[in-house]
Amino acid sequence: MTTLHRQPGSAGDFIASFVPEDVIAQTARGLAVEVGLQPVAPAVGAALRMLAGACAAKAVVEIGTGTGVSGLWLLRGMRPDGVLTTIDRESEHQRMARRLFTEAGFSASRARVITGRALEVLPRLADGAYDLIFVDADPTEYAAFMNAAARLLRPGGLVVLHGILTSGRDVFTVRELAYAVRDDDLWQPALLPLGEGLLAAVKS
């Protein structure tokens, strides 16, 4: 019997294709592109699923629902009785995400979809009640989101910020934030070079 060996591609290609998306996630990605959004890469989604599973996440906050790409990955890593609270300004995008969550087999009770500006919604959430917070939003607000995460997360909870390795106009803002998190005794951080870069930090 002949064994076929794939020719190795670049490390980046290997990482990007290591955990493929299913049809529903691909549909969510296609809808995101149609409405002008840039969803997280599959490798980022796989990392989110793994992190949610590693901390046995029951209560998760997502800032930036989009069309549901990252939400699908998070829900798949969370406990079966877990609830994803996902926040976005665009109700039409959230309508798409909600439909795809249902198509993926998640009951309506598994996702609490809130339309609004995250910095106005977060103060209404309970202190120390969340296991994981994922942020994929305006980088200029990331410092405020980190302050909110310090209040919302339980000890040992995890915050994940997407876009830390951006090369755009916000590069100095996000890097200064990364250094601030690194130097804050409240957090145990690491930079993960996936997608546009993840800053993951555990609350002490």
Side-chain angles (χ1 to χ4, degrees), residues 86-153:
T86 182
I87 307 166
D88 201 295
R89 297 183 185 186
E90 298 293 337
S91 60
E92 182 61 20
H93 298 168
Q94 290 182 318
R95 184 188 63 78
M96 299 176 193
R98 193 192 298 270
R99 174 173 61 83
L100 290 165
F101 293 162
T102 301
E103 289 182 8
F106 298 106
S107 67
S109 63
R110 292 290 311 279
R112 179 169 62 153
V113 180
I114 302 175
T115 304
R117 184 168 177 261
L119 290 178
E120 296 172 355
V121 174
L122 294 176
R124 306 202 299 266
L125 303 184
D127 293 3
Y130 295 91
D131 304 301
L132 190 154
I133 296 174
F134 173 60
V135 184
D136 187 14
D138 181 355
T140 63
E141 297 182 329
Y142 276 15
F145 292 141
M146 284 299 301
N147 289 335
R151 178 181 65 83
L152 294 171
L153 288 170

Side-chain angles (χ1 to χ4, degrees), residues 155-180:
L158 180 67
V159 61
V160 183
L161 306 179
H162 183 241
I164 294 300
L165 300 182
T166 180
S167 58
R169 63 182 181 179
D170 297 318
V171 61
F172 293 108
T173 299
V174 295
R175 292 197 180 179
E176 285 300 315
L177 172 65
Y179 288 130

